[in-house]
């Protein structure tokens, strides 16, 4: 038989649980961006700009905050194609569709699909490939919805621990899933995946949750444990604090990328695939660091 004290605790937990499920407050994402282009100077981009062949965006429409990253496939440069054009155009199109309200918050893959279809129908020829990750916060339901295609991705951190990590998609070592527009007549000869192949996930978030979205330039050079150490510097949802932490993470990843003696996650993955590799992986790095905060507007 339950004691009066135990029974009271159960009632209190039930009440608290009910309140949390019916929390009428809107949430929002406070997001800062930082990165490096592999062959360019570090800096904070203007909207729609790229870090090397990477691109990103943040956008808001009514009750949803949306952000995304894309990593242009550098191999196209060997064929005279600027890889940043594809990733940049893809992200700009996603941003415009969100601002126009042409999306459903619970379906980030729909944003990716609609954007890719527009690129396919573009009157101006566009060629290239890109990975992509789209993250949507439904501010009213407090649900985070994500779609990840390839080896970009995101972490959800709560209480100093990673509670969710997007799944990386690879056809084989160092060959991620990617959206592609190939030259006419070469469609079957170029690797191309459908937006529907993106890994989709959906889960509740809490105030203070940290969402780190990035291209593989970060994850190939910093393990989760090292990222968590950097995130300990983040004290609140103040934009300036988030920006400093995003910059600190991007800077450390950039430094490690050029360390020949460092056993990076990429080098470890290469060794697991039978290759003798050591050192960081020089690459474009894009970091979007977000904190879930109460919407006071």
């Amino acid at each position: 038989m339950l004691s009066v004290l135990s029974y009271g605790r159960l009632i209190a937990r039930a009440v608290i649980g009910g309140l949390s499920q019916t929390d009428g407050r809107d949430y929002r994402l406070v997001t800062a961006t930082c990165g490096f282009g592999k062959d360019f100077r570090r800096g904070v981009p203007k909207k729609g700009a790229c870090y090397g062949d990477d691109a990103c965006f943040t956008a808001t429409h009514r009750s949803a905050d949306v952000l995304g990253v894309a990593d242009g496939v550098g191999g196209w440069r060997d064929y005279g194609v600027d890889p940043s054009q594809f990733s940049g155009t893809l992200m700009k199109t996603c941003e415009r569709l969100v601002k126009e309200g042409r999306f459903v918050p619970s379906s980030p893959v729909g944003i990716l699909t609609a954007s890719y279809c527009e690129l396919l129908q573009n009157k101006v020829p566009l060629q290239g490939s890109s990975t992509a990750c789209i993250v949507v916060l439904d501010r009213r339901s407090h649900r985070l919805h994500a779609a990840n295609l390839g080896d970009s991705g995101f972490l959800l951190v709560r209480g100093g621990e990673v509670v969710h990590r997007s799944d990386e998609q690879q056809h084989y070592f160092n060959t991620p899933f990617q959206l592609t527009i190939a030259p006419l007549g070469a469609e079957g000869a170029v690797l191309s995946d459908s937006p529907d192949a993106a890994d989709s996930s959906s889960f509740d978030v809490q105030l203070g949750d940290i969402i780190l979205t990035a291209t593989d330039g970060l994850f190939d050079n910093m393990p989760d444990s090292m990222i968590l150490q950097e995130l300990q510097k983040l004290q609140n949802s103040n934009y300036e604090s988030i920006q400093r932490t995003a910059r600190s993470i991007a800077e450390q990843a950039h430094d490690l990328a050029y360390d020949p003696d460092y056993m990076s996650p990429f080098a470890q993955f290469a060794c697991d695939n039978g290759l003798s590799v050591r050192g960081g992986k020089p690459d474009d790095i894009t970091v979007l660091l977000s904190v879930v905060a109460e919407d006071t507007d």
Side-chain angles (χ1 to χ4, degrees), residues 203-223:
F203 39 86
D204 293 330
V205 295
Q206 300 176 11
L207 291 174
D209 280 357
I210 299 170
I211 298 132
L212 185 146
T213 310
T215 53
D216 66 321
L218 173 68
F219 299 121
D220 281 343
N221 286 297
M222 288 183 71

Side-chain angles (χ1 to χ4, degrees), residues 112-134:
L112 199 57
T113 300
S115 180
Y116 180 54
C117 287
E118 281 205 18
L119 266 59
L120 289 171
Q121 298 167 6
N122 200 330
K123 293 181 180 179
V124 178
L126 180 68
Q127 297 175 11
S129 303
S130 176
T131 67
C133 181
I134 306 293

Side-chain angles (χ1 to χ4, degrees), residues 192-266:
S192 180
D193 298 286
S194 166
D196 290 337
D199 176 67
S200 296
S201 55
S202 180
F203 39 86
D204 293 330
V205 295
Q206 300 176 11
L207 291 174
D209 280 357
I210 299 170
I211 298 132
L212 185 146
T213 310
T215 53
D216 66 321
L218 173 68
F219 299 121
D220 281 343
N221 286 297
M222 288 183 71
D224 291 357
S225 58
M226 197 175 291
I227 293 173
L228 289 174
Q229 282 185 326
E230 289 298 308
L231 290 177
Q232 290 178 2
K233 300 175 182 178
L234 186 60
Q235 299 298 320
N236 52 50
S237 59
N238 177 275
Y239 174 80
E240 286 72 21
S241 176
I242 298 171
Q243 181 66 68
R244 284 194 299 271
T245 305
R247 181 177 294 276
S248 177
I249 291 171
E251 286 177 343
Q252 184 163 348
H254 180 263
D255 291 343
L256 291 170
Y258 292 90
D259 184 343
D261 298 318
Y262 168 59
M263 181 55 80
S264 64
F266 177 80

